[in-house]
Amino acid sequence: AQTVTQSQPEMSVQEAETVTLSCTYDTSENNYYLFWYKQPPSRQMILVIRQEAYKQQNATENRFSVNFQKAAKSFSLKISDSQLGDTAMYFCAFMKSGNSGGSNYKLTFGKGTLLTVNP
Amino acid sequence: ETGVTQTPRHLVMGMTNKKSLKCEQHLGHNAMYWYKQSAKKPLELMFVYSLEERVENNSVPSRFSPECPNSSHLFLHLHTLQPEDSALYLCASSQETGRALWGEQFFGPGTRLTVL
């Protein structure tokens, strides 16, 4: 079974600064996907960024980038130039790839990190 | 309406009540999901429907009963719930190909359920 660990329950950062959220996971799979989802207060959860495990290049989406270390099973999220609208719960998630059915479609989430961006 | 909508947004029910949660997706997706989000715990996948067929129930108690009448609608029927079932129930949808479900999941705003 897969597990996802987010060791930082809460973090804060000043506006315009850079912050890194940590995520580690445990799996015996070789092919999988990793995700960061964002859940703003009282708003819908949205996908921030996705990484395929077979890709060595780290994914980036504007101010969001990841540091994917497959051997270390680490998948951290870096937010540059933090904005007030980045305040949210951030969830790291794991999904096996493949088409053999079973639990391959299951997103396994971490407990989340509450990020507060201060003005 | 756009995206994924859920009704009601808030629900308070007694342990002997029967109620239903509704989810509707306006994205043309072919897979829908129910998740339970409890405080201080990771999101838990409850049910998955792909092409209107249930493919995963993840050992959820029988007091939760899903229904997917078509690819746009998903229901969660509730009966004789327990106080520990109080949580935020999230619906999500995605566009999948074949049996491999790996696309981005789009979430609804959730229904905040309180069981007294």
Side-chain angles (χ1 to χ4, degrees), chain B residues 65-95:
Chain B
S65 175
E67 178 189 1
C68 187
N70 54 62
S71 60
S72 299
H73 294 86
L74 184 65
F75 295 89
L76 187 63
H77 303 300
L78 316 171
H79 65 98
T80 59
L81 294 191
Q82 304 298 311
E84 59 264 29
D85 297 322
S86 298
L88 181 67
Y89 288 84
L90 295 173
C91 174
S93 71
S94 64
Q95 180 62 30

Side-chain angles (χ1 to χ4, degrees), chain A residues 98-109:
Chain A
N99 58 0
S100 58
S103 60
N104 283 351
Y105 31 76
K106 178 180 177 180
L107 267 176
T108 300
F109 285 86

Side-chain angles (χ1 to χ4, degrees), chain B residues 19-63:
Chain B
K19 296 287 184 183
S20 296
L21 310 185
K22 178 183 177 183
C23 175
E24 185 173 0
Q25 59 95 0
H26 310 267
L27 301 167
H29 289 165
N30 60 6
M32 297 186 76
Y33 310 76
W34 278 118
Y35 287 90
K36 177 182 179 182
Q37 186 176 22
S38 304
K40 309 297 183 185
K41 293 177 66 176
L43 272 77
E44 303 170 57
L45 177 66
M46 299 176 72
F47 299 103
V48 179
Y49 278 82
S50 176
L51 301 172
E52 301 163 41
E53 177 186 346
R54 190 166 78 189
V55 296
E56 170 71 38
N57 70 354
N58 220 34
S59 302
V60 177
S62 60
R63 57 186 184 269

Side-chain angles (χ1 to χ4, degrees), chain A residues 33 35 37 39 42-45 47 50 52 91 95-96 98-99 101-107 109-111, chain B residues 4 33 35 37 40-43 45 48 55-56 58 88 90 99-105 107-109:
Chain A
Y33 300 92
F35 306 83
Y37 278 86
Q39 187 178 36
S42 301
R43 294 180 61 188
Q44 287 163 253
M45 180 139 41
L47 179 67
R50 179 170 81 172
E52 287 91 340
F91 295 95
M95 179 185 284
K96 291 193 296 184
N99 58 0
S103 60
N104 283 351
Y105 31 76
K106 178 180 177 180
L107 267 176
F109 285 86
K111 291 184 179 182
Chain B
V4 180
Y33 310 76
Y35 287 90
Q37 186 176 22
K40 309 297 183 185
K41 293 177 66 176
L43 272 77
L45 177 66
V48 179
V55 296
E56 170 71 38
N58 220 34
L88 181 67
L90 295 173
R99 294 285 295 171
L101 306 183
W102 54 271
E104 175 184 351
Q105 292 184 22
F107 286 81

Side-chain angles (χ1 to χ4, degrees), chain A residues 57-106:
Chain A
Q57 186 173 8
N58 289 324
T60 62
E61 288 287 341
N62 301 315
R63 299 182 294 106
F64 298 87
S65 61
V66 298
N67 182 4
F68 173 48
Q69 302 290 328
K70 190 173 184 179
K73 296 180 182 175
S74 171
F75 183 62
S76 60
L77 174 69
K78 186 171 81 171
I79 306 174
S80 304
D81 186 25
S82 297
Q83 301 176 359
L84 297 179
D86 295 333
T87 293
M89 280 290 289
Y90 286 81
F91 295 95
C92 179
F94 170 101
M95 179 185 284
K96 291 193 296 184
S97 66
N99 58 0
S100 58
S103 60
N104 283 351
Y105 31 76
K106 178 180 177 180

